Amino acid sequence: LRDRMEVLQLSGYTDLEKIEIGKRFLMPKTLSGNGLTINNATFSDDAYETIIHRYTREAGVRSLEREIASICRKIARKVVSDGKQHKDHVTGEKVTDFLGVPKYKPTDAEEKNEIGIATGLAWTEAGGELLLTESTLMPGKGQLTLTGKLGDVMQESAQAAMSYVRAKAEEFGIPKEFNKKTDVHVHVPEGAIPKDGPSAGITITTSLVSTLTRIPTRRDVAMTGEITLRGKVLPIGGLKEKVLAAHRANLKTIIIPKDNEKDIADIPQKVLETLDLYMVDTMDEVLKIAL
């Protein structure tokens, strides 16, 4: 039966789509539902943006509608006490006055270039997220430790990354026997959140190479892609959401697999114009850009 049916995959709305839905549909509906008119309450674009990023985490717009309604009810109370002429223009700063302490803190890009930290991109149902990956070295016997509640696929990516780095050690100027005297710890922060999926390979590899060569990674570069033992970069899913997450965090340089070129058509043109997209085939190309 399933073979004879067509399965439609619906991705979550992007931030730009949520803002338009808020302006065109949710706002008029909520105003009339609370006995208000456009003369009593208006929202700026950055007010919608603040609500989306700081008060909701969802693929759709249900929570967005609830938060807009919450603000409108508070404005309606002022209209009752101050009279029909009362008007509120809600901006990004004012949202906090109406809704209180933000529920979510967006992951920000790093403030400076650092050794051993690479910025990856992850797909979630609520859109894309930045996934910072850290690695560090300790005296030991070549043990690789992985933490941050990583799933099986991600752990395998880290093992493949380590094997690739060991095979290419001399080329990178890393002592060939480094693994006999050194333990490596790879950590993906926010340990309470489960993380999995085949797109962290190049991020983990970049972090490892940076740590072992003592060359800092660029803070303004985000990346996504899987790696093979030969250093080939494999395609990933959820490119649109990942690129929009990088754009949100003001990261202008993004490294993606060459095979994902076909997915660029899904990314809004406005966003594409502000970005430098590098399409790569091999890990060597990634390191030239990222380190």
Side-chain angles (χ1 to χ4, degrees), residues 3-75:
D3 186 52
R4 286 162 180 256
M5 294 166 75
E6 190 175 350
V7 178
L8 298 177
Q9 297 285 355
L10 300 177
S11 63
Y13 295 122
T14 66
D15 291 354
L16 298 169
E17 288 164 347
K18 285 181 182 180
I19 290 169
E20 283 304 315
I21 291 167
K23 284 201 286 200
R24 294 192 208 174
F25 304 104
L26 305 182
M27 191 60 190
K29 177 182 161 189
T30 310
L31 284 176
S32 65
N34 287 284
L36 299 172
T37 67
I38 198 77
N39 298 325
N40 300 127
T42 54
F43 280 59
S44 67
D45 279 8
D46 65 324
Y48 289 110
E49 232 168 87
T50 305
I51 297 170
I52 291 163
H53 294 164
R54 310 301 298 272
Y55 294 90
T56 69
R57 189 161 277 179
E58 57 179 351
V61 289
R62 196 167 286 179
S63 295
L64 174 62
E65 185 174 3
R66 282 194 198 110
E67 300 298 347
I68 291 172
S70 175
I71 293 174
C72 286
R73 282 195 296 275
K74 286 170 183 173
I75 293 171

Side-chain angles (χ1 to χ4, degrees), residues 110 114-121 130-136 146-147 150 154 158 185-189 195 199-208 210-211 217 223:
E110 287 298 296
E114 279 191 57
I115 291 168
I117 292 187
T119 306
L121 297 169
L130 295 192
L131 201 62
L132 296 175
T133 303
E134 308 173 344
S135 57
T136 190
L146 307 169
T147 53
L150 309 183
M154 230 164 146
H185 186 159
V186 176
H187 179 63
V188 183
K195 308 164 194 80
S199 63
I202 68 172
T203 316
I204 295 170
T205 311
T206 303
S207 172
L208 286 172
S210 168
T211 300
T217 55
M223 61 191 82

